[in-house]
Amino acid sequence: YKEMTPLGQAEWVKFVGLLLGEEQKANETFSTIATRYNELKALTAEGKVKRRPVVLSGEMRGGNWYAVGGESFLAQLFKDAGADYFLKDDPRSGGVYLDFETVYNQADQADYWRILNSYPGQHTYETLLAQDERYGDFKAFKQKGVIYCNMREKPYYENMPMEPELLLADFIKVFHPELLPDYVPVYYHQLND
């Protein structure tokens, strides 16, 4: 979980394969994941997408906004999906606590807002406003650009380290839907209501 790249996390399958005496199978599994990930990443390479949307991540918890730094796994994933993370220039790789005003100052015009949580029931724009009315001031909120994954419904942490290509495809589908017109997202979807 401390790996800073999506393929770095998936590559641990090689270590587990070595321990279990399944080195060849593990190497083949990783190779399949890496090939698909790199194929998807190539779709959004420099010069291939017309526009790189800006993505906000996190939400308020206990009076602070929790996000991750610009050298994190998530920031790399956004970059590979053809987007710019709002903290892309932050040198940290781990968690970052910010006050609301700092986040608003840096991301009020972000095109998308990624949220991962474990919410009991259906998460909606009304739910977000009930949590903090200031959320309604973000462009991503106003223009229905919230990207959401509910960990009560999706085995995010259980499966995600071995499925970075699915996460990448989910984000490409949101940021550049024309690149994957028939793809059905696995973890993240855009909130509609």
Side-chain angles (χ1 to χ4, degrees):
Y1 75 94
K2 290 194 175 201
E3 292 286 348
M4 294 302 107
T5 66
L7 288 178
Q9 282 191 7
E11 195 169 25
W12 278 86
V13 72
K14 292 181 178 183
F15 178 72
V16 173
L18 184 64
L19 290 176
L20 298 175
E22 296 284 343
E23 189 174 359
Q24 181 179 347
K25 184 177 180 183
N27 288 338
E28 290 170 1
T29 298
F30 177 73
S31 179
T32 300
I33 292 167
T35 297
R36 181 62 180 145
Y37 189 94
N38 287 323
E39 288 170 354
L40 289 165
K41 181 179 170 182
L43 294 174
T44 64
E46 192 76 31
K48 291 204 174 180
V49 291
K50 294 177 184 167
R51 184 176 156 285
R52 295 182 64 84
V54 175
V55 186
L56 162 66
S57 183
E59 56 189 320
M60 294 293 289
R61 295 205 193 289
N64 290 305
W65 193 288
Y66 179 78
V68 292
E71 295 295 321
S72 65
F73 165 90
L74 191 60
Q76 183 64 52
L77 196 59
F78 290 148
K79 179 180 179 183
D80 292 347
D84 288 329
Y85 183 44
F86 86 111
L87 292 175
K88 71 179 182 178
D89 296 325
D90 184 287
R92 294 171 282 190
S93 60
V96 178
Y97 290 99
L98 305 164
D99 59 47
F100 182 88
E101 292 75 15
T102 299
V103 173
Y104 188 77
N105 185 47
Q106 293 182 12
D108 68 315
Q109 292 300 306
D111 302 289
Y112 294 100
W113 177 8
R114 174 258 186 192
I115 299 174
L116 170 72
N117 64 26
S118 184
Y119 186 77
Q122 186 175 0
H123 204 67
T124 65
Y125 286 92
E126 284 184 22
T127 305
L128 283 170
L129 280 181
Q131 291 171 349
D132 195 314
E133 288 184 4
R134 298 174 297 179
Y135 287 165
D137 294 331
F138 286 96
K139 174 184 170 185
F141 181 95
K142 292 176 187 174
Q143 295 186 356
K144 306 276 191 227
V146 174
I147 308 163
Y148 181 66
C149 176
N150 188 339
M151 293 183 296
R152 285 183 183 234
E153 299 169 357
K154 311 277 181 164
Y156 182 82
Y157 284 115
E158 295 85 350
N159 295 348
M160 176 274 303
M162 288 302 302
E163 298 178 334
E165 77 283 12
L166 298 180
L167 276 181
L168 181 59
D170 283 3
F171 288 129
I172 290 173
K173 178 66 175 181
V174 171
F175 305 147
H176 307 286
E178 71 283 358
L179 297 176
L180 298 174
D182 300 323
Y183 177 75
V184 177
V186 175
Y187 293 103
Y188 285 94
H189 68 279
Q190 215 167 329
L191 284 183
N192 297 320
D193 54 357

